[in-house]
Amino acid sequence: TMWDAQIEAMANEYRILCYDKRGHGQSGDFDQDITIKDLADDAVALAQATGFEEAHFCGLSIGGMTGQAIGIFHPGMFKSLALCATTSAIPNEVLPTWEQRISEALANGMDGLVAPTLGRWLTQETQQNQPELVAHVSRMISTTSPEGYAGCSRAIMKLNYTDQLKSITTPSIIIPGEFDPALPVSMSEIIAAHLPGSVMKTVPGAAHLCNIENPKDFNKILIDWIKSQEN
């Protein structure tokens, strides 16, 4: 449901495949350690099974990490990649924070993570002025499987693709949120600097969930990008 605003804007013109990654939404939990490459393999297998080869891939946060892995390990699978509000590596100094989040989720469920996550995902202005949106995002967080959250968090903790970005040949756009405190614009700039031929467009006035917080500008950036790749 995090992509509802994009589906609404694009469904009349495009065929769209929107899925829940492992351990999230209506997808089942898993009990083995996974990597971001595993999530990329999932996405590629799903695209192949449903006739979405040569589509345009768009992913945000862990989805943007998945997109990088697709570009590295599955060249030529998609026409383009949109890597949104993401990073190519996780600094060692933040690993204890991730461990704390995992421990909280597994011990007490997701409810205790709702407030701090909202603080990273949405700006203060949105939190104060858009209660329905805040309630929607809160439900999205609180209803996530703790096991799924933990497993995907551990995959994120192993992320280190910066040096491999130079091998990506798929046309790519990087789309950060202007006020993202979780994965700030500077992290997107690193991706742009290492990914040949990529372009970067920032979503103004938005934090981490820039596609939800400012769908108007996000949609324009994404649709303009896709149309530029169709010519």
Side-chain angles (χ1 to χ4, degrees):
T1 58
M2 67 172 282
W3 296 104
D4 283 353
Q6 285 67 55
I7 293 171
E8 183 180 356
M10 301 174 70
N12 287 339
E13 198 167 350
Y14 294 96
R15 193 166 61 105
I16 300 168
L17 173 63
C18 201
Y19 70 98
D20 292 328
K21 64 182 172 292
R22 295 190 196 195
H24 287 69
Q26 297 180 61
S27 292
D29 280 332
F30 54 97
D31 55 10
Q32 74 272 35
D33 282 343
I34 65 165
T35 64
I36 297 296
K37 181 181 181 295
D38 291 320
L39 297 178
D41 294 344
D42 288 348
V44 167
L46 183 60
Q48 290 171 332
T50 52
F52 274 80
E53 297 95 335
E54 298 187 9
H56 302 274
F57 179 88
C58 178
L60 187 144
S61 195
I62 189 173
M65 301 169 195
T66 301
Q68 293 169 61
I70 290 170
I72 293 166
F73 300 108
H74 299 278
M77 178 63 200
F78 295 121
K79 284 183 180 177
S80 75
L81 304 171
L83 313 173
C84 312
T86 193
T87 183
S88 56
I90 298 298
N92 286 333
E93 57 266 26
V94 304
L95 296 181
T97 300
W98 279 100
E99 289 287 3
Q100 291 170 3
R101 294 173 187 166
I102 291 170
S103 296
E104 168 70 18
L106 294 177
N108 304 310
M110 296 296 293
D111 287 348
L113 293 174
V114 172
T117 303
L118 285 173
R120 297 187 299 273
W121 284 9
L122 301 172
T123 61
Q124 281 295 120
E125 182 179 3
T126 293
Q127 291 180 67
Q128 292 167 1
N129 298 328
Q130 298 193 51
E132 289 185 5
L133 189 152
V134 171
H136 171 67
V137 174
S138 297
R139 283 193 302 272
M140 194 164 63
I141 300 164
S142 64
T143 58
T144 296
S145 155
E147 292 76 19
Y149 174 83
C152 286
S153 293
R154 292 192 179 108
I156 290 172
M157 291 168 69
K158 295 183 281 233
L159 178 72
N160 188 14
Y161 284 152
T162 306
D163 291 339
Q164 293 172 271
L165 294 175
K166 61 180 180 292
S167 71
I168 295 178
T169 56
T170 308
S172 301
I173 187 170
I174 300 105
I175 309 176
E178 181 183 11
F179 299 130
D180 187 350
L183 300 178
V185 173
S186 58
M187 291 182 166
S188 286
E189 289 172 342
I190 290 171
I191 298 173
H194 286 81
L195 206 168
S198 62
V199 299
M200 189 176 109
K201 299 282 187 180
T202 301
V203 181
H208 189 53
L209 291 187
C210 52
N211 68 310
I212 290 177
E213 195 160 26
N214 184 356
K216 179 181 176 182
D217 286 314
F218 182 94
N219 291 351
K220 184 177 190 318
I221 291 169
L222 180 62
I223 293 168
D224 286 352
W225 164 254
I226 290 174
K227 287 187 182 301
S228 76
Q229 298 305 307
E230 294 287 350
N231 296 332

Coordinates of all heavy atoms in Angstrom, one line a residue, residues 1 10 19 45 57 82 86 96 99 110 123 132 144 152 156-157 169 178 208 220 222 231:
T1 N 0.8 -1.2 0.0 CA 0.0 0.0 0.0 C 0.8 1.3 0.0 O 0.3 2.3 -0.3 CB -0.9 0.0 1.2 OG1 -0.1 -0.1 2.4 CG2 -1.9 -1.1 1.2
M10 N -0.4 6.4 -12.2 CA 0.2 5.7 -13.3 C -0.6 4.6 -13.9 O -0.3 4.1 -15.0 CB 1.6 5.2 -12.9 CG 2.5 6.3 -12.4 SD 4.1 5.7 -11.8 CE 4.9 5.2 -13.3
Y19 N 4.5 -5.6 -5.1 CA 4.6 -6.8 -4.3 C 5.1 -6.5 -2.9 O 5.8 -5.5 -2.6 CB 5.5 -7.8 -5.0 CG 7.0 -7.4 -5.0 CD1 7.9 -8.0 -4.0 CD2 7.5 -6.6 -5.9 CE1 9.2 -7.6 -4.0 CE2 8.9 -6.2 -5.9 CZ 9.7 -6.8 -5.0 OH 11.1 -6.4 -4.9
A45 N 12.8 -13.1 -10.1 CA 12.0 -14.3 -10.3 C 10.5 -13.9 -10.5 O 9.8 -14.5 -11.3 CB 12.2 -15.3 -9.2
F57 N 12.1 -0.7 -12.8 CA 12.1 -1.1 -11.4 C 12.2 0.2 -10.6 O 13.0 1.1 -10.8 CB 13.3 -2.0 -11.0 CG 13.3 -2.4 -9.6 CD1 12.6 -3.5 -9.1 CD2 14.0 -1.6 -8.7 CE1 12.6 -3.8 -7.8 CE2 14.0 -1.9 -7.3 CZ 13.3 -3.0 -6.9
A82 N 15.0 3.0 -10.5 CA 14.8 4.1 -9.7 C 15.1 3.8 -8.3 O 14.4 2.9 -7.7 CB 13.4 4.7 -9.8
T86 N 17.7 5.8 -0.4 CA 18.4 4.6 -0.1 C 19.9 4.9 0.1 O 20.3 6.1 0.1 CB 18.2 3.6 -1.2 OG1 18.6 2.3 -0.8 CG2 18.9 4.0 -2.5
P96 N 25.0 -1.1 15.9 CA 24.4 -1.3 17.2 C 22.9 -0.8 17.3 O 22.1 -1.4 18.0 CB 25.3 -0.5 18.2 CG 26.6 -0.5 17.5 CD 26.3 -0.4 16.1
E99 N 20.8 -3.4 15.8 CA 20.7 -4.5 16.7 C 19.6 -4.2 17.8 O 18.8 -5.1 18.2 CB 22.0 -4.8 17.4 CG 23.1 -5.5 16.5 CD 22.7 -6.9 16.1 OE1 21.7 -7.4 16.6 OE2 23.5 -7.5 15.4
M110 N 6.2 -4.8 17.3 CA 6.6 -3.6 16.6 C 6.0 -2.3 17.2 O 6.5 -1.2 16.7 CB 6.1 -3.8 15.1 CG 6.7 -4.9 14.4 SD 8.5 -4.7 14.1 CE 8.5 -3.3 13.0
T123 N 8.3 14.1 8.0 CA 8.7 15.3 8.6 C 7.7 15.7 9.8 O 6.6 15.2 9.9 CB 8.6 16.5 7.6 OG1 7.3 16.7 7.1 CG2 9.6 16.2 6.4
E132 N -4.4 11.4 9.0 CA -4.8 10.1 8.3 C -3.6 9.4 7.7 O -3.4 8.2 7.8 CB -5.8 10.5 7.2 CG -7.2 10.8 7.8 CD -8.2 11.0 6.7 OE1 -7.8 10.8 5.5 OE2 -9.3 11.4 7.0
T144 N 3.7 -5.0 10.7 CA 4.8 -5.8 10.1 C 5.2 -6.9 11.0 O 5.3 -6.8 12.3 CB 6.0 -4.8 9.9 OG1 5.7 -3.8 8.9 CG2 7.2 -5.6 9.3
C152 N 15.0 -8.9 7.4 CA 15.4 -7.9 6.4 C 16.3 -6.8 7.0 O 17.2 -6.3 6.3 CB 14.1 -7.2 5.9 SG 13.2 -8.3 4.7
I156 N 20.0 -5.7 5.6 CA 20.4 -4.3 5.4 C 21.8 -4.1 6.1 O 22.7 -3.4 5.6 CB 19.4 -3.4 6.0 CG1 18.1 -3.3 5.2 CG2 20.0 -1.9 6.2 CD1 17.0 -2.5 5.8
M157 N 22.0 -4.7 7.3 CA 23.2 -4.5 8.0 C 24.4 -5.0 7.3 O 25.6 -4.5 7.5 CB 23.1 -5.2 9.4 CG 22.1 -4.5 10.3 SD 21.7 -5.5 11.8 CE 23.3 -5.5 12.7
T169 N 25.1 -1.2 -15.5 CA 24.9 -0.6 -16.9 C 23.4 -0.2 -17.1 O 23.2 0.5 -18.1 CB 25.3 -1.6 -18.0 OG1 24.6 -2.8 -17.8 CG2 26.8 -1.9 -17.9
E178 N 14.4 15.3 0.5 CA 15.2 16.5 0.9 C 15.6 16.4 2.4 O 16.7 16.7 2.8 CB 14.5 17.7 0.6 CG 15.3 19.0 1.0 CD 14.5 20.3 0.7 OE1 13.3 20.2 0.5 OE2 15.1 21.4 0.8
H208 N 11.9 10.4 4.8 CA 12.3 9.2 4.2 C 11.3 8.6 3.2 O 11.6 8.2 2.1 CB 12.6 8.2 5.3 CG 13.2 6.9 4.9 ND1 14.3 6.8 4.1 CD2 12.8 5.6 5.1 CE1 14.6 5.5 3.9 NE2 13.7 4.8 4.4
K220 N 6.0 13.2 -10.5 CA 6.5 13.9 -11.7 C 7.9 13.4 -12.0 O 8.3 13.2 -13.2 CB 6.5 15.4 -11.5 CG 6.9 16.1 -12.7 CD 6.8 17.6 -12.5 CE 7.0 18.4 -13.9 NZ 8.1 17.8 -14.7
L222 N 9.4 10.6 -11.2 CA 9.4 9.2 -11.6 C 8.8 9.0 -13.0 O 9.4 8.4 -13.9 CB 8.6 8.3 -10.6 CG 8.6 6.8 -11.0 CD1 10.0 6.2 -11.0 CD2 7.7 6.1 -10.0
N231 N 11.8 6.6 -24.9 CA 12.1 7.1 -26.2 C 13.2 6.4 -26.9 O 14.0 5.8 -26.3 CB 12.4 8.6 -26.0 CG 11.3 9.4 -25.5 OD1 10.1 9.0 -25.7 ND2 11.6 10.5 -24.8

